[in-house]
Amino acid sequence: EEIKMGISLGLTGPLESIAPNIQKGAELAMKEVSDSGKLLGGSTVVPVAADNTCVDAAASVAAVERLVTAEGVKGIMGGMCSGETIASLERVGVPNGVVMISPSATSPALSTIDDKGFFFRTAPSDARQGEVMADIVLEKGIKSVAITYTNNDYGKGLADSFAKSYTEKGGAVTISAAHDDGKGDYSAEVAALAAAGGDALVVAGYADQGGSGVIQGALDTGAFSTFVLPDGMVNQALVDKFGDQLDTSFGQNPSAEGEGHDKFVELAKAAGFDATSAYSGEAYDAAALMLLAMEAAKTSDPKVYKDKVMEVANAPGEKIYPGELAKGLELLAAGQDIDYVGATAVELVEPGENAGVYREVDFKGGTLNVVGYR
Amino acid sequence: MDILNALVALLNFVLIPAAAYGAQLALGALGVTLIYGILRFSNFAHGDTMAFGTALVILVTWGLQALGISLGPLPTALLALPIGIALCSGFVLGTDRVVYRFYRKKRSEPIILVMASVGVMFIMNGLTRLVIGVDEIRFDDGARFLVTVQQFRAWSGLTEGLALRVSQVLTLVVTALACWALFRFLNHSRAGKAMRAYSDNEDLALLSGIDPERVVRLTWIIATALAVTAGTLYGLDKSFKAFNYFQILLPIFAASIVGGLGNPLGAVAGGFIVAFSEVAITYPWKKVAGYLGIESDGLLQLLSTEYKFAVSFVILIVVLLFRPTGLFRGKSV
Amino acid sequence: MIQVHDLHRHFGGFRAVDGASLTIETGSITGLIGPNGAGKSTLFNVIAGVLPPTSGRVIMDGEDITGLPPHQLFHKGLLRTFQLAHEFSSMTVRENLMMVPGAQTGETLWNTWFQRARIRNEERALRQKADEVLDFLTISHVADEKAGNLSGGQKKLLELGRTMMVDAKIVFLDEVGAGVNRTLLGTIGDAIVRLNRERGYTFCVIEHDMDFIGRLCDPVIVMAAGKVLAEGPAAHIMENEAVIEAYLGTGLKNKVVETTTGDTA
Amino acid sequence: MSYLSATDMRGGYGKADILNGCTLTVDKGQIAVIVGPNGAGKSTAMKAVFGMLSLREGAVTLGGQDITGLTPQERVHRGMGFVPQTHNIFPTMTVEENLQMGAFIRKDDFRDTIQQVYDLFPAVADKRRQNAGELSGGQRQQVAVGRALMTKPSLLMLDEPTAGVSPIVMDELFDRIIEVARTGISILMVEQNARQALEIADIGYVLVQGANRYTDTGKALMADPEVRRTFLGG
Amino acid sequence: MSNTRQAEATSRWRALIVFAAIAVLFVLEGTTRNAMFSGSWNTALAILNMGLISAVMALGVNMQWGYAGLFNAGVVGFIALGALGPVLVATAPVEGAWAAGGLRVIAALVVGFGTLAMAAQVWAGVARGWRVPALIATLIVGFVAYRWLFDPAVMAIEANNAASAGNIGGLGWPVLLSWPVGAAFAGAAAWGVGKVALGLRSDYLAIATLGIGEIIIAVLRNEEWLARGVKNMSGIPRPVPYELELQGDPAFVAKAASFGMDAATASGIWVKLLYAGLFGAVLLLVILLAELALKSPWGRMMRAIRDNETAASAMGKNVTGRHLQIFVIGSAVIGLGGAMMVTMDGLLSPGGFNPLRYTFLIWVMVIVGGSGNNWGAVLGAVLVWFLWIKAEVWGPALMHLITLPLPEGGLRSQLLGGAPHMRFIAMGLVLLLVLRFAPRGLVPEK
Ligand SMILES: Nc1ncnc2c1ncn2[C@@H]1O[C@H](COP(=O)(O)OP(=O)(O)OP(=O)(O)O)[C@@H](O)[C@H]1O
Ligand SMILES: Nc1ncnc2c1ncn2[C@@H]1O[C@H](COP(=O)(O)OP(=O)(O)OP(=O)(O)O)[C@@H](O)[C@H]1O
Ligand SMILES: [Mg+2]
Ligand SMILES: [Mg+2]
C-alpha cells in the first residue's frame, strides 16, 4: 500500500523561515519508516505538503481540504499556528475523520476543543514551560525581569504563564511588551524594555524572527546583557548569530533526557538540515507517532489508529528514540508495547498533548551547553 | 538630578535609533514618492524591489568577499551596491517593458497600474525567495560600531551608555545626500524638469519634444537605485529577511503620504515622523524621569508598544486632518 | 439680489480679490469684465461657496450667505458655470443634464428600492427636458456621447445647458462664450435675454467678447487688480478712459466700431 | 507645393469618422485660419495634422516631405509647434519652467526668447515664479501661447489661442502673430473670434462636419454674407 | 488620445462568458484530478464558499470605490469589526464575566465616546482663543474618567478563567442574527471614521483608512477582554448542522449511499452546499439592492460625484453627505462579509488579519472584476479567490515543469526546495495575465 501523509505548514507567510525545517523533520521520519519496509508489511509512505500560510484560516482550510478529500491522506502533520489549526481541524480534520498532530500549535483552546480524538500535539504546553522557566530564573538569583513576547497565542500564552508563576514565587516583572514578527525595526520595543529595566530580559519569541531582532537591539544599546530564552529561541542559529554575546544568558527547551535529541541532531545532519531549528524535532515525532500508531492498529485508517496514538507514545514499553522507528515497528508488529520518546521526550497527557521534559541550557563560551533536565 | 544621563538615555534609545529608522523609511519613501509623482501610481512592488535588489547586493557581496575584496571598516556591501542597482534596474526596466508600458499606452487609470504592481510584487516576492531563500541573512562586515556602550561609558563616566553603529551613520549620511541630490535633479536639471513636465501633462510634454519613454526609464532607474540603497542600508542595520520588506512597505507609504506625495522633502519628513512617533510615543519615561529626580512607580508610558503602529497612524491622520495633502503640499489626483 | 461687501480673497500674499464691493440688482443682466487676472473668477468662486473668503460678506436677498457650501447655494437658487468646463466626463451628455435637478425622488436610497414607479415617471420628464435643452444648444446629436469626448466648445455649451435644467434665481456665467461659435453665442444671448424677461432670472456674466457684453448687459462692472474699477451702462463703460487703457485697448475700439457698423448694415 | 499640406484627411476617434476629407494647406509665412461651428472637427483636424490621431486616409506633407507616418515627437523636431485647445500648460510647474519646457528641444541660448514672451505678456511676467496652475484662465492661455513661441517653430499651430483673453491682449496677440508670420513662419490657427482672426488671415477655411465648406482669403470670407451669418455671428 | 473609451457593446455577453468560464473552472476542480485540479467537490465547494464571502466584501469595496471613488484601504479593519458580531452575539456567555465588570466596561465606553462627542462640540462651539485649551481639558478629564472606569473592569474580566476565557463573552443568540449586527458594528465605525477622514482625497484617504484599519486590528489583537485578542476565539456556533451529526444520522447515510457517496464526503458536501445557499442568498440580496440603487438617479448622482466633486456640489449635490452615506453602507457590507467569514471559520483569529490578504486582495478582486460594476466585483472575487487558493498547487507544479529539463543536482534541488514560493509567482503571473487581457476588468463598468 502507498500511504499518503499530509504536511500542513505555513510555507509562505510570517513563519516561512521556520517551516522548511519542520517539513524536513516530518519527512525524515516518513522516509525512515518507508525505507524500513516494515510498516504494515511493506507499505511506503509518501509525504504531501500543503501551504497553509499560517495566518489565513480560509486558505488553510482549503489546503487541508485538498490534502484530505483530493489527495486522500491518512494523517496530517500540522497545522502550524493555532488559529489556522483550529479552523482546519474543525472544518476538515474532524468531519472527515483524519488524524492531525501539530508540532507547534500551543494555544490552550486546542486542549478543550471537541476533537473527537483526532487531534494531538507534540508541542509542549505553554503553561508548563512558564513554570519551569520561572523556577530556573529564580534559581539564578534573578529577581526582576522584563518580558518581551511575540504577539501571537504562543508568545502571549507563554509570557502570561511565566509572569504569573514568576510573580507568585516572588519575582518582579518590570514590563511585558509584545513585539511583532516580520517587522525589522524594534527600536520602540527595546527602548521601552530598557526604560523599564530589570536584571534580565525574557524573550518569548522565535530565534529567526522578532526575538533575535529584540536581542540584537538590546545588545547594541547595552540595555540588557542577560537573556532568558524559551523553546522558540534555543537553537544553533541564535548561537551562530550572537556567539559569546550570550555568555550570561540561559534558557530551556523540551527535549528528551539523554540520547533522543542528540540522535535526532545527528540524523538531521546526515539529511542536511538544522535539527535545532524550532519545532523540527516535534515534527519528526508527530510524523513518527502517526506511523507507529498505524502499525499498532494494523491499519492506516485514521478512524482506527487514532486510538493507538496515546498508547505508542507512553509507557509501558520499550523506549524508542529517533532513528529507531524500524525497531518500533518490529516490536509493534510482534504485538509488543513501545514507549515512543523521540526527539522531544514525547509523553502525551490527556487530551493528547505533550507533557514535556525540559532541558536547561546556557550559552557559556559562545556555545549551546546542556546543563540539566527538569 | 542628572540631566546628562537622562539625555544620553534618550539619545541612545530614542533619538539615534528613531533617526536611523526614519532615514531608512525616508529613503524608501523617496522612491515611492518619485514613482507616484512621475508615473502617477502607488507602486506596491517597491518593498519587494528593495528586497530583490538587496538580495542581489548580498550575492555580489558574497562574491567580493570570496575574492577577498573589502572596504576596510565599511561594509563590503557598499562596493556591491552599484552592481546590485544596475542588475535590479535591468530587471525593473524589464517589468516596465512587459507590464506597465501596456497600461501607460492605453492610458489606464492609476488604480489599474497599482493592481499591476501588485502582480509584479507577487512575482518579485517569489523570485527573491528563490534567489536567496527565506532565512535571515547578515551581510555586514567591517566595523559594526563607531562608539560602543562600553567605550562611551569609559570615556564619559556616565551610568548610561551610548552606542552609535556604522550602519546608522551611513544611513543618515546617504539619506541626506540622496534627498539633496534628488531635489537638485528634479528642480534644476533639464532631465529632472522633463520628468516633472511629463508628470504634469503627458500630451503637452510630448508636444514639447520630450521623449516620454526616456523619462519613464529614468524614473525607474532612479527609483530603483533609491530602493536598493534603502534596502541594503536597512539590511545592514537590522538583517536581511525577505518577508520583512513587504512589511516595511506600509510605513513607507505612510511616510510618503504624510509628507505630501510627489515631494522629496515630504518623503524625508514623513519618514522621520513615522519613526519618531513609533519610538517616542511608546517610550516609558520612568527612567528619564528618575534621572531628573522624579521617582515613579508606574512606567510613565503613554501607550504600550503593541500600539506603536497604531499610534504612528493616529499621528498621520491628525497631520492629514490639518494638512489634507501632507505636510509639504503633495499631489493629489 | 446679491450684495458683496468689501470682499477679500488672498492667496498667500497675493490679493486676488482686494476689497471688492458690488451689487447685482434683481432682474438685471450684469456684466463683469476686466483684464486677465483681475479676480473675476475668484470673486465668482467666493460668492458660489467654492472658495472661502479671507474677509468680507456676501448677502443674497438680505440673507448672509458667506461661506455656505455650494450645494446649499444651489438649493437657494444660485447657479453657476465654470470657466474651465467641469463636465462629468464619464457620463453621457444627457446624463450630465439629467443629474442637475435637485430633490429627485430617486436620489434617496430608500426610494430607489420602493418607489420605482414614481422614479420612472420623473425620469421620463427629466429626459424630455434634457433633450429640449440639447436641441436648443445644437448638440442633440452627441446626447449619448461621453461628455469627456466633447469638443471644447461643446463642453462650454453643456456647462450652460446645466443651468437651464432648473428654475434658478440667479445664474453666474463665467465666460460661457470663450470657444463658442459666434453665431451660436448670438442665440445663447437671445436665450439669456428671454430667461431674464420671461422667467425673471438674474444673470451675472463674465465675458471678454465686448459685442456680447454690449448687447446684453446693463449695468457692466469693471474689475481690475481685485477691485471694482468702474460701473455703469455698457456704452458708458466702453468710453471710459481707464477701462480702455486697462482692458479694451485702443486697437479694439476701432474694430468694435467697424463691426457694429457692419452689423447694422 | 505649400509648406504644409494636409490633404483629404479622414479619420476619427475609433467609431465614426470625424474628419471627412478635410484639406488644409499653408504656405511659408502665411497665416491660415480655421473657423466653424462647435464640434465641426477643427481641433480634430489640428490633432491629425500633428499626428496625434491616426488617419484612415489622407496625407500630410511638410516642406515637401511626407510626414504622415511620423509621431508627434518627430514632428516637433521637424519644426512644428502646437498649442492645444485645453490642457495646454504644465500646472505644477512655474510659468518660467513652462516656457523653458517650450524650448526643450532647443540647444541654443533661449533667454532672449523668454524675455520676448514676457514683453508680449506683461501680466504673465509678473507671475514667472508662480505655478501655472494657479493662474487665471486668460493668463494660462497666454502662458500656453508663450510656450509654443519658445520653440521657434517653422510651423506654429494654435487652437483657439485667444479664448478667454482680454481684448487688449487679443490685439497684442494678433499683432504678434502677424509679426511672427512675417519672419517666414507659417501659422495655422483655429479661432472663434473669427472676424478679428480672418482679418489677418491670408487664407481662411470654414470647416463643417469634418469637411471644408468654404475656402478663400480671409477678406473674401468676411465679405460673404452667407458665411458671416452662419459662422461668424452676423 | 482619449482616456474615456466607449464601453464595449458586448459587455452583457462578456459577463456571461466570464461567468461560464469560472463555472467551468469550478466543475473541473470538482471532477478532474490532475496536476492542476484536485477533482474533489469538497475542495471546489470550500473555495466557492469563501469566494462568495469575498464577493460580499468586494461588493462593499466596489460601492465605495466604484460608485463614489472613495479609496478605503482599511478593509481589513471593517472585516474585523464585522467579525466581532458573531463573537459578541452568538457565542455562549462566559460565566462570571459580566459580573466581573461588564457594566463597568460599558460605562467606560459610554464615557469614552461621550468625551469624543463633547470634544467635537467644544471644537465647534467655543470661541477661537479658548478652543484648544478647552478641547485639551475636555479630553484629559474624559480620558482619566474613562481609564478609571475601564482599567479595573478589564483586569477583572481578563482574570476570569484566563486560560480558556478571559473575555466578556457573547449573548448566546442565533448566529444568523449576528450578521446584521456585525454589519452594524462596521457601519457605525465607518460613520465615525467618515466624519473625521472623508475630507481627505484619494491616496490620502487611503493611508488614513489604512491606519484606521491597523488601529482596529491592534485593538482586536490586544484587548483580550473583548475577544481574547491574539489567543483567538474559537467555538463560534454554526447556522448549519455539523458533519459528524449528519454522519451519525442513518437517514443521511442512506441517502448518501444512494448517490454512491460515503457519509464523510457527502456530509462535507451537504454542509458546504448549505453554506453556499446562505451566502449566495445574502450576496444576491445585496446585489439586488445595489443594482436597483445604481440604476436610479441615486447611482447617476454618485457617478457625477465621483467624476467631478466641484461640479457636483455646484449642481446642488451634498458631496460630503453622500460620501459619508456610501462609506457607511459600503463598510457595513464589508462587515457583513466579515461576520459571514468567522461564522464559516468558526473562529476569530485577529493575528491573521493582515492587510495583504484582507485589504489588498479584496481590492485586486474589485479591480480585476471591473470596478463600478457589481457583477464584475462578484466574478472578480470568486475568480481571484480561486486563483489564490489554486496557486498553492499551481506554483509548485509550475516549478516542477520548469526544472524538468534540468539535470539532477544542486540547482535543481535548490529550485525545488523553493517551490512553495512559486505560489506567489503563479499568483502574480495569473493576475498580470488577467489584467492584460481585461485591462479594465473582466466586466467593465458601462
Ligand atoms: N490658487 C491660486 N493661488 C495663487 N494665485 C491664484 C490662485 N488662483 C488665482 N490666483 C491669482 O488670482 C488672480 C485672479 O485670478 P482670476 O482667475 O480670478 O482672474 P480672472 O479675472 O477670472 O481672469 P481671466 O479673465 O483670465 O479668467 C490671478 O492673478 C491668479 O494668478
Ligand atoms: N476624444 C474623443 N473621443 C470621441 N469623440 C471625440 C473626441 N474628441 C472629440 N470628439 C468628437 O469629435 C467631434 C469634433 O470635435 P473637435 O474637438 O474636433 O471639434 P471642434 O471643431 O474643435 O469644436 P470646438 O470649436 O467646440 O472646439 C465632436 O463631435 C466631438 O464630440
Ligand atoms: Mg476667469
Ligand atoms: Mg476645438
Side-chain angles (χ1 to χ4, degrees), chain C residues 35-42 83-84 174-175 206 208, chain D residues 135-138 164:
Chain C
N36 296 128
K40 306 179 295 291
S41 300
T42 310
Q83 180 172 10
L84 300 173
D174 195 349
E175 299 198 21
I206 298 180
H208 288 301
Chain D
L135 297 184
S136 80

Side-chain angles (χ1 to χ4, degrees), chain C residues 30-46:
Chain C
T30 303
L32 185 59
I33 61 174
N36 296 128
K40 306 179 295 291
S41 300
T42 310
L43 179 73
F44 263 29
N45 282 333
V46 173

Side-chain angles (χ1 to χ4, degrees), chain B residues 253-275:
Chain B
F253 273 157
S256 50
I257 292 251
V258 76
L261 271 169
N263 186 324
L265 273 180
V268 173
F272 286 109
I273 289 178
V274 172

